[in-house]
Amino acid sequence: MDPALLREREAFKKRALATPVVENKKKKEVTEDETKKKPKAPPKSTAVAPRIDATNYKHMSGSSQYKFGVLAKIVKHLKTLHQDGADHALTLEDILDETNQLDVGMKISQWLRTEALASNPKIEVTSDGRYMFKPPYRIRDRKGLLKLLRQTDLKGFGGILLDDIQESLPNHEKILKILDKDIVYITRPIDKKKILFYNDKTAHMPIDEEFQKLWRSVAVDGIDDNKIEEYLEKQGIRSMQDTSLKVMPKVNLKRKAAAKKRTFKKPRDNEHLKEILQEYE
């Protein structure tokens, strides 16, 4: 081999060894291994926790549904006791015992005592910290119901829902059957609920059968008062006007003060001319 080529080859090796070389392959491999070993953090959830409410406790899960379920059993039990004729209040421990709920925790018991039972419109809290059902009306017997219906009719308040009477009156089925002739039942067309009215027998009057037939033959379903008034005007019948009570203006009943007589006052500065003025008079 040519010695010149050998010398050039040796010189190239020396230059290659003299120049520093940076290797990044191992570092890249290390970083890739480290990233594989590191566990990925779970994504943060932005969902808002459901709001606790007594109206939607059936759709909740976990402790919220259980908590409001305990409250619902308590209200139902106190209502049943009232409708059976019981008029005594119970402690929270007695209520939980009678409803077979003694296994509730201290947290739920504290919530019932401080928040749920005190703010529930169906429960009344006595002065000694006991609980009883709070009915819509304070009636206990047949006389109380008849008096309530009579007073409601006299004051012009209309009728009372049958559901409220059933909640308020113990043994309501028996009493309503006895007072069947003194009560008028009307079914409300909107929600098909029954309303009780006092049957005032003094307002009964005989009505001619022919007039009754004419009255029932006229269908006014779905017609408002304005359309009825227009129809009557076309038939030559004018509806009553100004049927509301007129408010009379207030009259001032205060007496006017009597007018005082005016007296002529003589000037005080001319006292020294008094004698001269009398001579000219």
Side-chain angles (χ1 to χ4, degrees), residues 116-175:
L117 295 177
S119 60
N120 195 293
K122 296 287 186 180
I123 295 177
E124 182 180 357
V125 185
T126 59
S127 58
D128 56 351
R130 295 172 180 264
Y131 305 97
M132 60 188 302
F133 183 71
K134 186 178 181 180
Y137 298 98
R138 301 285 183 179
I139 48 176
R140 303 291 303 179
D141 50 13
R142 176 175 58 87
K143 292 182 180 179
L145 174 60
L146 203 60
K147 182 180 178 182
L148 175 64
L149 292 172
R150 190 185 294 112
Q151 291 295 325
T152 305
D153 180 68
L154 290 174
K155 294 177 181 178
F157 293 155
I160 301 173
L161 284 171
L162 177 61
D163 296 341
D164 293 342
I165 297 298
Q166 290 174 347
E167 283 191 2
S168 305
L169 185 62
N171 305 316
H172 58 273
E173 294 181 357
K174 182 180 179 182
I175 294 174

Side-chain angles (χ1 to χ4, degrees), residues 172-234:
H172 58 273
E173 294 181 357
K174 182 180 179 182
I175 294 174
L176 290 175
K177 191 174 182 180
I178 295 171
L179 297 176
D180 186 46
K181 295 182 179 180
D182 298 319
I183 298 174
V184 177
Y185 293 88
I186 301 294
T187 303
R188 192 160 58 183
I190 301 172
D191 49 9
K192 304 300 180 182
K193 288 188 176 182
K194 289 187 176 182
I195 303 176
L196 277 65
F197 291 86
Y198 175 66
N199 188 9
D200 189 3
K201 297 177 182 178
T202 60
H204 292 182
M205 60 181 70
I207 299 175
D208 189 38
E209 293 182 1
E210 186 177 354
F211 181 78
Q212 294 181 20
K213 291 178 182 179
L214 291 173
W215 179 269
R216 292 166 183 167
S217 64
V218 179
V220 292
D221 294 339
I223 303 175
D224 56 4
D225 295 340
N226 294 329
K227 291 183 179 180
I228 294 174
E229 188 175 351
E230 289 178 4
Y231 175 79
L232 293 174
E233 288 181 357
K234 289 179 181 179

Side-chain angles (χ1 to χ4, degrees), residues 12-255:
F12 176 76
K13 284 183 177 182
K14 289 179 180 179
R15 287 195 303 271
L17 293 171
T19 54
V21 178
V22 179
E23 294 183 1
N24 295 327
K25 285 186 177 181
K26 291 183 178 180
K27 289 184 178 179
K28 287 182 180 178
E29 291 175 0
V30 172
T31 53
E32 287 177 1
D33 294 338
E34 288 178 354
T35 53
K36 288 179 180 179
K37 290 179 181 178
K38 287 182 180 180
K40 292 183 180 180
K44 293 182 179 179
S45 62
T46 57
V48 181
R51 186 179 178 183
I52 298 174
D53 192 1
T55 57
N56 61 350
Y57 77 93
K58 291 184 180 180
H59 304 286
M60 294 182 179
S61 60
S63 60
S64 298
Q65 184 175 356
Y66 173 72
K67 187 164 59 173
F68 284 102
V70 172
L71 176 62
K73 285 183 179 179
I74 291 174
V75 175
K76 185 177 180 181
H77 179 67
L78 292 177
K79 179 181 176 181
T80 305
L81 289 176
H82 174 79
Q83 290 177 338
D84 291 342
D87 57 351
H88 59 277
L90 298 173
T91 61
L92 180 59
E93 290 75 15
D94 294 337
I95 297 171
L96 294 175
D97 185 14
E98 293 181 5
T99 55
N100 298 322
Q101 298 185 106
L102 288 173
D103 56 343
V104 298
M106 291 296 296
K107 192 174 181 181
I108 296 178
S109 298
Q110 187 68 15
W111 173 74
L112 290 169
R113 197 185 306 275
T114 57
E115 296 181 26
L117 295 177
S119 60
N120 195 293
K122 296 287 186 180
I123 295 177
E124 182 180 357
V125 185
T126 59
S127 58
D128 56 351
R130 295 172 180 264
Y131 305 97
M132 60 188 302
F133 183 71
K134 186 178 181 180
Y137 298 98
R138 301 285 183 179
I139 48 176
R140 303 291 303 179
D141 50 13
R142 176 175 58 87
K143 292 182 180 179
L145 174 60
L146 203 60
K147 182 180 178 182
L148 175 64
L149 292 172
R150 190 185 294 112
Q151 291 295 325
T152 305
D153 180 68
L154 290 174
K155 294 177 181 178
F157 293 155
I160 301 173
L161 284 171
L162 177 61
D163 296 341
D164 293 342
I165 297 298
Q166 290 174 347
E167 283 191 2
S168 305
L169 185 62
N171 305 316
H172 58 273
E173 294 181 357
K174 182 180 179 182
I175 294 174
L176 290 175
K177 191 174 182 180
I178 295 171
L179 297 176
D180 186 46
K181 295 182 179 180
D182 298 319
I183 298 174
V184 177
Y185 293 88
I186 301 294
T187 303
R188 192 160 58 183
I190 301 172
D191 49 9
K192 304 300 180 182
K193 288 188 176 182
K194 289 187 176 182
I195 303 176
L196 277 65
F197 291 86
Y198 175 66
N199 188 9
D200 189 3
K201 297 177 182 178
T202 60
H204 292 182
M205 60 181 70
I207 299 175
D208 189 38
E209 293 182 1
E210 186 177 354
F211 181 78
Q212 294 181 20
K213 291 178 182 179
L214 291 173
W215 179 269
R216 292 166 183 167
S217 64
V218 179
V220 292
D221 294 339
I223 303 175
D224 56 4
D225 295 340
N226 294 329
K227 291 183 179 180
I228 294 174
E229 188 175 351
E230 289 178 4
Y231 175 79
L232 293 174
E233 288 181 357
K234 289 179 181 179
Q235 300 298 324
I237 303 172
R238 293 188 63 185
S239 59
M240 291 189 296
Q241 302 291 332
D242 300 332
T243 56
S244 59
L245 295 173
K246 294 183 178 180
V247 179
M248 300 297 292
K250 293 183 179 180
V251 180
N252 191 3
L253 300 177
K254 292 183 179 180
R255 294 182 179 180

